[in-house]
Amino acid sequence: MGKPFHAGRAAEGGVLAAELAALGWTASDQILEAPRGFFQAAGGGYDPAAIVNKLGHPWTFASPGVSIKPYPCGSLTHPGMSELARLIKANAIRADQVERVDVGTNRNMPNTLIHHQPTDHLQAKFSMEFCMSALLVFGKAGLREFSDEVVRRPDVQGMIRRVHFGVHPEAEAAGYNKMTTIIDIRLRDGRTISGRADFGKGSPADPMSYDAVAAKFRDCAEYAKWPDAKARSVVATVASLEKLPDLRALTSVLGAA
């Protein structure tokens, strides 16, 4: 439970800081570089030149850009999931056709994706076997698929046992600056369908389209029981975000019932 808590707690801290500032709360403007600030306490000091000359050069939000996760699970699964989704669509693969799936990566990735026979949704988020199985069984892997009930379904557990995840020498040789994932799907009719991806969909190397991001947002909004009209209004407003005179047009839509 700690992993998703980290991101939520960080977001909570940002909201709290903004609300305190709005109330007039004051504090030191040198919390990082002061003699008793964070840099001194955590690292024994800092190099000002490193900040002036290196921080933000390049500004990584602009180059290479941010990643958007199409699936609500560990990012290390995303190259394999992206490639498997492509292979399923291109070859019209059905779950009942699959005899075995081999998934190979560099040796660092299994150190994080440690749950080979998951029994709940938290383990499933760090299980290459489940992520592959969800796509094969349901054709998708959204918030609804990452639930305890789905993970424990007999057909899902059966598919998980057909997925074999480990280190592949080709992926290992590709280097650790990539998340190279190699897939071999052996079908019951004797065919083998293979694919490889170095980066996941949604990364700067393979970005999602606006429509794809909007579809993910609508799926999340539906899961949260938002009215469809509200979700679509948010999507339309964000599409013209840079032309809005101020953000009240967006915040009013977000706050609407």
Side-chain angles (χ1 to χ4, degrees), residues 39-64:
F39 291 147
Q40 183 65 38
Y46 73 103
D47 178 5
I51 297 175
V52 174
N53 299 326
K54 296 178 182 179
L55 189 64
H57 299 286
W59 182 239
T60 55
F61 283 105
S63 177

Side-chain angles (χ1 to χ4, degrees), residues 225-231 233 251-257:
K225 296 182 170 56
W226 275 24
D228 183 63
K230 176 179 177 178
S233 182
T251 55
S252 64
V253 172
L254 290 169

Side-chain angles (χ1 to χ4, degrees), residues 120-248:
D120 62 43
H121 74 283
L122 292 172
Q123 292 179 355
K125 289 176 181 289
F126 297 91
S127 170
M128 181 70 82
E129 291 86 347
F130 173 81
C131 292
M132 299 287 104
S133 297
L135 290 173
L136 288 164
V137 173
F138 305 109
K140 58 182 180 178
L143 290 170
R144 286 175 180 78
E145 285 67 50
F146 284 88
S147 69
D148 292 351
E149 293 76 17
V150 168
V151 173
R152 294 168 185 163
R153 280 177 46 155
D155 56 342
V156 173
Q157 287 291 317
M159 182 60 74
I160 286 172
R161 288 189 288 271
R162 283 181 259 168
V163 179
H164 301 267
F165 172 45
V167 177
H168 193 292
E170 185 179 335
E172 178 75 9
Y176 301 138
N177 62 332
K178 300 176 182 178
M179 296 186 289
T180 301
T181 305
I182 296 168
I183 301 173
D184 294 302
I185 308 168
R186 191 166 71 202
L187 303 181
R188 298 189 189 281
D189 63 9
R191 289 182 296 153
T192 297
I193 298 173
S194 302
R196 166 181 168 157
D198 293 321
F199 301 98
K201 190 70 178 176
S203 68
D206 188 11
M208 295 172 70
S209 66
Y210 183 83
D211 287 344
V213 176
K216 172 178 176 170
F217 171 77
R218 288 196 300 271
D219 186 62
C220 293
E222 182 183 353
Y223 183 81
K225 296 182 170 56
W226 275 24
D228 183 63
K230 176 179 177 178
R232 292 185 179 278
S233 182
V234 171
V235 170
T237 303
V238 171
S240 58
L241 187 65
E242 295 182 359
K243 299 178 182 178
L244 297 179
D246 59 60
L247 284 179
R248 280 176 289 188

